[in-house]
Amino acid sequence: MQDEWRSIGIYDLQLPGILSVSTSWEARDELSIVAVDRVLIVKHDELARLMLSQLPIQGEIFLMDDAAAEVTSGQYWNFWQNNECWGKECQVIDSPPVDAKATLRYHQGIPNGEYEIYAWIPRLNGTIPVSYSLFASGLLMENDAGVSAVEFNNGQGQFVNAQWLFLGTWAIPERFGETVSVAIEMSVPANEDGEAVIDAIALVRK
């Protein structure tokens, strides 16, 4: 297994002081390896806090960002630097001549349960049709309306201000285990006029 950074969450710290991080585990035998190495603490700016505060519901949040997106037809995606994007950068596609997809993965797994899922949409001319699908352990999941691909035939919207776009509610059943790897796939059809963006995706556990 390759070394990697794993997120342990985003925390809103209101008071100054000494910050410590601890870990613990149950009894293990000689075949169960536990590795504890460095901890990296990154301060988010006020824009990130503002974006998260605009989520319409409260709950445990699992966030994915386009910085790690896997895209098809990559020559038609462009990075866009703008303060309205999560991390001040996102990816935009404009009237592609071929079908295109962008996939965001949460490899380390999320707990089973019911989730509301939102996509952060910066201000743009979002008129091209898009659809979103959720995969759990590689399996295509239906939302609470029995739909596996949520379609926005009129696009992501033409907003005056950036905002969260509600994609739907999905339940990840216990049969997947305590945690499950998930992916969100956004599809864009060919030969449609307009823009679409892939930026942050928030999965909020209810």
Side-chain angles (χ1 to χ4, degrees):
M1 181 178 179
Q2 187 176 7
D3 292 346
E4 62 180 20
W5 290 104
R6 291 203 170 190
S7 172
I8 57 175
I10 298 174
Y11 299 85
D12 189 5
L13 305 178
Q14 299 289 343
L15 299 175
I18 298 174
L19 183 64
S20 62
V21 178
S22 63
T23 184
S24 62
W25 52 86
E26 299 176 352
R28 294 172 178 263
D29 58 29
E30 66 276 8
L31 300 179
S32 301
I33 300 174
V34 175
V36 180
D37 201 351
R38 296 169 177 83
V39 174
L40 176 67
I41 300 173
V42 179
K43 182 181 179 181
H44 282 293
D45 58 25
E46 288 301 316
L47 288 173
R49 177 182 292 187
L50 178 62
M51 291 177 188
L52 291 174
S53 70
Q54 293 181 30
L55 280 167
I57 66 167
Q58 300 295 317
E60 191 175 7
I61 301 170
F62 297 88
L63 197 70
M64 299 181 286
D65 181 37
D66 72 284
E70 303 167 10
V71 300
T72 64
S73 306
Q75 67 269 36
Y76 301 108
W77 291 92
N78 295 297
F79 285 96
W80 183 38
Q81 294 183 341
N82 188 290
N83 285 341
E84 292 185 351
C85 301
W86 178 266
K88 299 182 180 180
E89 187 175 76
C90 55
Q91 296 185 58
V92 177
I93 194 166
D94 186 356
S95 307
V98 296
D99 293 342
K101 292 182 180 180
T103 304
L104 298 180
R105 303 184 189 277
Y106 203 93
H107 292 285
Q108 65 194 72
I110 64 174
N112 60 58
E114 188 175 27
Y115 289 84
E116 288 191 4
I117 302 181
Y118 298 84
W120 178 255
I121 309 297
R123 179 173 43 194
L124 82 164
N125 183 28
T127 56
I128 190 172
V130 297
S131 65
Y132 294 88
S133 299
L134 172 70
F135 294 83
S137 289
L139 298 177
L140 181 62
M141 304 294 293
E142 291 185 350
N143 63 13
D144 62 350
V147 176
S148 58
V150 179
E151 297 180 350
F152 294 88
N153 292 323
N154 296 320
Q156 295 167 321
Q158 295 173 287
F159 304 131
V160 176
N161 298 303
Q163 59 185 271
W164 292 102
L165 176 66
F166 178 57
L167 305 184
T169 302
W170 277 264
I172 299 178
E174 294 181 357
R175 61 183 172 86
F176 284 98
E178 292 185 3
T179 60
V180 57
S181 61
V182 296
I184 296 288
E185 182 180 273
M186 186 186 85
S187 300
V188 180
N191 301 315
E192 296 280 354
D193 291 329
E195 298 173 326
V197 64
I198 184 70
D199 198 5
I201 300 286
L203 296 87
V204 186
R205 193 180 188 209
K206 300 175 67 176

